[in-house]
Amino acid sequence: MKEAYIYDAVRSPRGKGRKDGSLHEVTAVRLSTEVLNALKARNDLEGHAVEDVIWGNVTQVKEQGGCLARSVVIASDLDESIPGLSINRFCASGMEAANLAANQVKAGAGEAYIAGGVEMMSRVPMGSDGAAIAVDPTLAMEHYFVPQGIAADLIATKYGFSREDVDALAVESQRRAKIAWDEGRFRKSIITVKDQNGLPILDHDEFMRPGTDMQSLGALKPSFKEMGEVMPGFDKVALMKYPEFERINHVHHAGNSSGIVDGAAAILIGSREFGEAHGLTPRARIRATAKIGTEPTIMLTGPVPVTEKILKDNGMEIGDIDLFEVNEAFAAVVLRFLQAFDVDPAIVNVNGGAIAMGHPLGATGAMIIGTLLDELERQDKEVGLTTLCIASGMGVATIIERV
């Protein structure tokens, strides 16, 4: 089998996922074309330079519907002979796009791919696609469906994370993100989004709240307590699956959960022969990929078993990894990962995460692969692992190694 390499990675800034967010006027197609055009220009990709564009997005309706990937290719500066594939593995869509691309290259099905994703949460609200797991009672009731926030609080209850624990992780995420931006650590990958007149719209992650402290977070009410305990009473559903607990401890709120934002990211993945033909130098090898299903009520524990799987499948141990990116969907997700593997918090989410900067669903997986690569280079480290929890109970992971 061939090896698959990362040649470049770019992303947009994350805009607030509201009508007053800086990217609200931008469609999913246009933001996607911004990152694709940047990748094309940076790497001089002329003609049928890549086999396909694999593009993740979660809420695939309206302007994000159809085969968004093909629409994006047509709208971009890429050659129209390049096709497009839209995929949806919920929050891991952008990472799964990269993993699919890497495995296609390894199998010899094309020399290069562009992979990534987009989500315009200010324009196409999360859940507006009416997912069966949430709206079909024959499925939801039989499998004890609860919203993700209830699942996150169930994780905190099951594994003993207090309100102070989750708030402290959130404060640290904000602190690290501010340092990263102040020191220009994202400069290599970030692009400035411009309007149709070529004027800058956004050049930084605008969701950040660097003044966040324990006192300000302590004043926030738990976001999922009412839906859990009163109407529609999801706690009772979760406790039917987990009867060993008397009650669910509701600890998550807007300040220690991932932010709703707009964003897009793209990665150029190819064989060594592709790089030689285009005069490009690989930055990292995609050493391994993995995915797994997990219990769907608690739902968000996937990063632990998928990390165990990817390490075992590749004859590695947790100590072989220099840096980690674990998506901060909710604070308890990261705390559970730290607890399970007893890794040093200093090497996990070094530059903050989705709690501070936001989680543009379909784009996040590709974004954090790029973030991990940039940080491996900055610290002159070699091996990194990135992983996400996923709705309905799944996990995805990728291991990259600098070359």
Side-chain angles (χ1 to χ4, degrees):
M1 293 181 67
K2 293 186 177 183
E3 296 287 358
Y5 298 93
I6 297 175
Y7 285 92
D8 201 4
V10 299
R11 74 168 177 93
S12 74
R14 299 170 175 98
K16 293 178 182 177
R18 305 193 303 256
K19 290 184 178 180
D20 62 349
S22 294
L23 298 180
H24 176 63
E25 68 184 76
V26 183
T27 66
V29 168
R30 190 154 74 82
L31 189 63
S32 298
T33 62
E34 292 264 338
V35 296
L36 289 190
N37 289 345
L39 203 64
K40 176 184 183 297
R42 284 162 54 136
N43 298 280
D44 194 23
L45 301 178
E46 297 298 333
H48 196 106
V50 300
E51 188 73 17
D52 204 353
V53 171
I54 306 178
W55 211 239
N57 71 290
V58 174
T59 311
Q60 297 188 353
V61 295
K62 298 182 179 179
E63 62 191 59
Q64 288 187 171
C67 183
L68 180 64
R70 179 56 179 165
S71 298
V72 169
V73 172
I74 293 170
S76 76
D77 295 336
L78 292 174
D79 194 280
E80 66 180 14
S81 64
I82 299 170
L85 170 66
S86 290
I87 67 163
N88 182 359
R89 201 188 287 277
F90 295 133
C91 297
S93 296
M95 184 175 294
E96 190 61 63
N99 289 355
L100 283 171
N103 291 330
Q104 293 269 56
V105 171
K106 289 181 180 182
E111 296 296 333
Y113 288 74
I114 293 174
V118 66
E119 208 77 36
M120 300 306 295
M121 301 182 75
S122 70
R123 298 178 63 90
V124 185
M126 179 172 52
S128 56
D129 53 346
I133 187 64
V135 303
D136 182 346
T138 62
L139 179 63
M141 293 177 66
E142 182 177 351
H143 296 281
Y144 306 99
F145 166 80
V146 297
Q148 289 188 35
I150 302 294
D153 286 339
L154 180 57
I155 291 173
T157 303
K158 180 176 176 65
Y159 294 102
F161 306 132
S162 68
R163 172 67 182 263
E164 290 73 21
D165 293 333
V166 291
D167 282 357
L169 186 139
V171 170
E172 181 64 7
S173 180
Q174 295 282 355
R175 186 188 74 83
R176 293 183 182 189
K178 183 180 187 304
I179 291 172
W181 269 101
D182 288 348
E183 295 185 357
R185 296 183 187 178
F186 302 127
R187 189 181 300 117
K188 182 180 292 185
S189 298
I190 208 83
I191 65 168
T192 298
V193 179
K194 299 179 180 178
D195 66 16
Q196 294 178 340
N197 297 315
L199 300 175
I201 297 176
L202 187 65
D203 63 0
H204 64 281
D205 292 325
E206 70 174 344
F207 184 80
M208 291 167 53
R209 300 178 296 271
T212 298
D213 56 22
M214 292 293 287
Q215 184 176 3
S216 62
L217 293 186
L220 299 177
K221 294 181 179 180
S223 295
F224 310 103
K225 183 179 177 68
E226 185 172 348
M227 73 165 63
E229 296 180 354
V230 187
M231 288 295 291
F234 280 113
D235 282 10
K236 292 182 179 179
V237 177
L239 294 174
M240 290 174 66
K241 184 72 174 182
Y242 291 87
E244 63 268 33
F245 301 111
E246 181 178 344
R247 57 182 293 274
I248 292 177
N249 184 24
H250 291 286
V251 297
H252 289 93
H253 50 73
N256 57 35
S257 306
S258 57
I260 294 173
V261 296
D262 300 326
I267 304 172
L268 178 60
I269 297 169
S271 65
R272 186 171 291 279
E273 290 80 2
F274 165 80
E276 292 172 350
H278 289 79
L280 301 174
T281 302
R283 296 173 60 189
R285 175 171 71 101
I286 297 182
R287 182 166 173 174
T289 69
K291 58 267 188 184
I292 202 167
T294 63
E295 197 281 300
T297 300
I298 202 166
M299 174 180 336
L300 306 175
T301 55
V304 172
V306 80
T307 296
E308 293 171 341
K309 182 179 190 299
I310 199 170
L311 293 174
K312 181 180 179 181
D313 288 351
N314 291 276
M316 301 176 70
E317 298 179 352
I318 199 74
D320 295 327
I321 308 298
D322 297 315
L323 295 174
F324 298 86
E325 284 288 324
V326 182
N327 187 41
E328 294 176 352
F330 298 90
V333 173
V334 181
L335 289 173
R336 173 57 189 149
F337 187 90
L338 294 169
Q339 180 189 69
F341 296 107
D342 193 27
V343 295
D344 183 355
I347 62 173
V348 179
N349 301 346
V350 172
N351 296 310
I355 290 173
M357 293 176 285
H359 176 20
L361 306 180
T364 301
M367 283 188 174
I368 62 178
I369 289 175
T371 297
L372 179 62
L373 175 56
D374 286 345
E375 188 60 22
L376 286 170
E377 291 174 342
R378 189 185 74 85
Q379 293 196 30
D380 195 23
K381 302 290 187 181
E382 293 193 8
V383 181
L385 182 149
T386 182
T387 183
L388 303 92
C389 63
I390 309 172
S392 301
M394 292 183 283
V396 167
T398 308
I399 294 176
I400 64 174
E401 181 178 27
R402 287 178 61 206
V403 294

